[in-house]
Amino acid sequence: MGVRRALHFVFKVGNRFQTAHFYRDVLGMKILRHEEFEEGCKAACNGPYDGKWSKTMVGFGPEDDHFVAELTYNYGIGDYKLGNDFMGITLASSQAVSNAKNVEWPLREVAEGVFETEAPGGYKFFLQNHTLPQSDPVLKVTLAVSDLQKSLNYWSNLLGMKIYEKDEQKQRALLGYADNQCKLELQGIKGIVDHAAAFGRIAFSCPKKELPDIEDLMKRENQKILTPLVSLDTPGKATVQVVILADPDGHEICFVGDEAFRELSKMDPEGSKLLDEAMAADKSDEWFAKQNKPKASG
C-alpha cells in the first residue's frame, strides 16, 4: 500500500456569509480556493443535488500538509437537517478560543481547556485552548458508529488504517494513516447512525494506481461502492479520479488519486476574493425575502 493522506471533511452549508465568518474570523482559517459549478457533481460531492453549487476549501495551511474543510453550497438551499452521524472536529488553537471570545461567538467549556462551539448549520467543533508545535492544529474528526468492532474491521483491515487507541469500555477508537496526520475517531453509539440531509464525507488520497484496487477489494468484500471510479473535472484545473465508498454505517468516503489532487489543490491566492465576489453576486436571500418565502431545506 502506497502513502495515504487524510485530506478534508465535506460540509453542506446553507449560509455562506455566516460560514465564512466562522471559519475565517473565529477559527482563523484561510480560504485556500473557491470554485463555482453550473451543475451537480458526478460523484455527488455537493450531495444529491444537480443545480448550481460552489465549493470552498478552508484550512490553516496548504492542502498538501493540512487537513481542511470543504464547504459545499447549493444555490437556493438554506439549511440541512442534522443527523447524529458527525460528532465533531477537534483542533488545538488558543488563537481560535480567543477569536471566539473577541467576536462573542458562543463557547461552552466541556472539559478543562476544551471548548465546544458550533459552525453555522450546527456542526460541532471542539477547541483545545493551547497551541501545538505541529503545523496543523486539526487533530481529529469524530464519527458515530453503531458497531465499533465491525467499523474497526472495515477501516483498519480493509482500508489499511493504523489503530492508535482503542477503548472498549468507552466504545471509541482512534485511527490514522500517519502520526503527523489528522486522525479519525470512531465513537460507538446506541441505535442506528442517522445521516439525515446534512451528511458529510471524509476524503483521503492514495496513489492513483491503487484506486481500481480499492474498488475491487470492496466488490470482493461485498461492501458498498457509491460511485465507481470516475474522473471529475474542475474548470481550468486538474482532472482527478475518485472512488466513493460507504462504511458499514453509511459514512461516505472519497479516495482520490494523489498526484492529480496535489495539482488541483494548489492554494489560489485569489480564493478569498472569489468567495467574496460569489457571495456578493448571490442575490438568492434577497429574492426569497421579497417573495416572502423561505429557502428550501436540503
Side-chain angles (χ1 to χ4, degrees), residues 266-283:
K266 281 185 176 151
M267 193 170 165
D268 179 358
E270 298 286 292
S272 207
K273 181 170 163 268
L274 289 171
L275 170 63
D276 289 337
E277 285 171 356
M279 291 194 297
D282 178 7
K283 305 295 184 199

Side-chain angles (χ1 to χ4, degrees), residues 51-73:
K52 185 173 156 74
W53 66 289
S54 75
K55 173 202 291 185
T56 310
M57 307 304 287
V58 293
F60 288 105
E63 293 175 67
D64 268 1
D65 50 13
H66 289 77
F67 188 85
V68 309
E70 176 178 315
L71 311 174
T72 65
Y73 171 73

Side-chain angles (χ1 to χ4, degrees), residues 1 4 6 152 154-164 174-177 181-184 202 204 255:
M1 187 175 90
R4 294 184 179 179
L152 281 175
Y154 182 91
W155 288 94
S156 179
N157 296 350
L158 298 185
L159 291 183
M161 275 193 156
K162 177 182 169 186
I163 298 173
Y164 282 86
L174 194 69
L175 301 95
Y177 280 123
Q181 288 184 21
C182 173
K183 305 295 185 295
L184 171 66
I202 191 163
F204 302 92
F255 273 93

Side-chain angles (χ1 to χ4, degrees), residues 213-270:
D213 303 338
I214 291 172
E215 188 176 322
D216 290 345
L217 173 66
M218 292 304 164
K219 280 180 186 158
R220 284 200 309 276
E221 296 288 335
N222 291 320
Q223 297 294 336
K224 199 173 273 185
I225 298 167
L226 298 175
T227 306
L229 188 56
V230 66
S231 292
L232 300 182
D233 299 322
T234 298
K237 295 191 180 179
T239 294
V240 296
Q241 289 197 304
V242 303
V243 173
I244 314 293
L245 313 172
D247 83 346
D249 285 296
H251 289 292
E252 294 197 0
I253 307 150
C254 170
F255 273 93
V256 58
D258 191 73
E259 302 87 342
F261 186 78
R262 283 185 189 270
E263 198 55 43
L264 169 69
S265 63
K266 281 185 176 151
M267 193 170 165
D268 179 358
E270 298 286 292

Side-chain angles (χ1 to χ4, degrees), residues 1-286:
M1 187 175 90
V3 176
R4 294 184 179 179
R5 292 190 297 138
L7 300 177
H8 55 256
F9 194 84
V10 182
F11 294 102
K12 297 191 193 83
V13 305
N15 185 315
R16 279 192 298 194
F17 286 100
Q18 290 175 1
T19 300
H21 172 54
F22 175 76
Y23 285 94
R24 279 197 281 216
D25 306 328
V26 178
L27 296 186
M29 288 183 173
K30 301 178 186 79
I31 306 294
L32 304 173
R33 55 190 169 102
H34 176 80
E35 294 143 9
E36 295 277 328
F37 300 87
E38 290 303 317
E39 55 185 33
C41 168
K42 282 192 280 186
C45 316
N46 59 315
Y49 309 98
D50 58 9
K52 185 173 156 74
W53 66 289
S54 75
K55 173 202 291 185
T56 310
M57 307 304 287
V58 293
F60 288 105
E63 293 175 67
D64 268 1
D65 50 13
H66 289 77
F67 188 85
V68 309
E70 176 178 315
L71 311 174
T72 65
Y73 171 73
N74 290 290
Y75 283 81
I77 297 185
D79 60 81
Y80 299 88
K81 186 177 184 298
L82 277 177
N84 63 1
D85 51 347
F86 173 77
M87 297 183 80
I89 282 182
T90 301
L91 53 95
S93 169
S94 47
Q95 186 62 55
V97 173
S98 107
N99 290 348
K101 289 175 178 171
N102 288 342
V103 301
E104 299 183 343
W105 195 271
L107 282 181
R108 189 168 69 91
E109 194 162 12
V110 289
E112 196 180 340
V114 181
F115 295 86
E116 180 186 303
T117 190
E118 284 184 8
Y123 305 111
K124 281 189 171 40
F125 279 75
F126 296 92
L127 314 181
Q128 296 181 359
N129 195 13
H130 61 92
T131 301
L132 295 170
Q134 71 203 52
S135 68
D136 188 5
V138 182
L139 304 179
K140 64 183 179 184
V141 176
T142 306
L143 300 179
V145 297
S146 59
D147 182 332
L148 184 61
Q149 203 43 56
K150 198 171 176 181
S151 295
L152 281 175
N153 177 56
Y154 182 91
W155 288 94
S156 179
N157 296 350
L158 298 185
L159 291 183
M161 275 193 156
K162 177 182 169 186
I163 298 173
Y164 282 86
E165 295 169 19
K166 185 180 169 189
D167 186 331
E168 291 280 3
Q169 212 172 355
K170 290 184 176 160
Q171 279 293 293
R172 66 171 284 276
L174 194 69
L175 301 95
Y177 280 123
D179 299 0
N180 63 347
Q181 288 184 21
C182 173
K183 305 295 185 295
L184 171 66
E185 182 176 53
L186 302 176
Q187 176 61 59
I189 61 165
K190 287 187 166 65
I192 61 161
V193 175
D194 173 19
H195 298 275
F199 65 88
R201 175 183 286 180
I202 191 163
F204 302 92
S205 72
C206 66
K208 179 183 156 186
K209 65 177 194 302
E210 287 184 14
L211 291 170
D213 303 338
I214 291 172
E215 188 176 322
D216 290 345
L217 173 66
M218 292 304 164
K219 280 180 186 158
R220 284 200 309 276
E221 296 288 335
N222 291 320
Q223 297 294 336
K224 199 173 273 185
I225 298 167
L226 298 175
T227 306
L229 188 56
V230 66
S231 292
L232 300 182
D233 299 322
T234 298
K237 295 191 180 179
T239 294
V240 296
Q241 289 197 304
V242 303
V243 173
I244 314 293
L245 313 172
D247 83 346
D249 285 296
H251 289 292
E252 294 197 0
I253 307 150
C254 170
F255 273 93
V256 58
D258 191 73
E259 302 87 342
F261 186 78
R262 283 185 189 270
E263 198 55 43
L264 169 69
S265 63
K266 281 185 176 151
M267 193 170 165
D268 179 358
E270 298 286 292
S272 207
K273 181 170 163 268
L274 289 171
L275 170 63
D276 289 337
E277 285 171 356
M279 291 194 297
D282 178 7
K283 305 295 184 199
S284 58
D285 284 349
E286 291 167 33

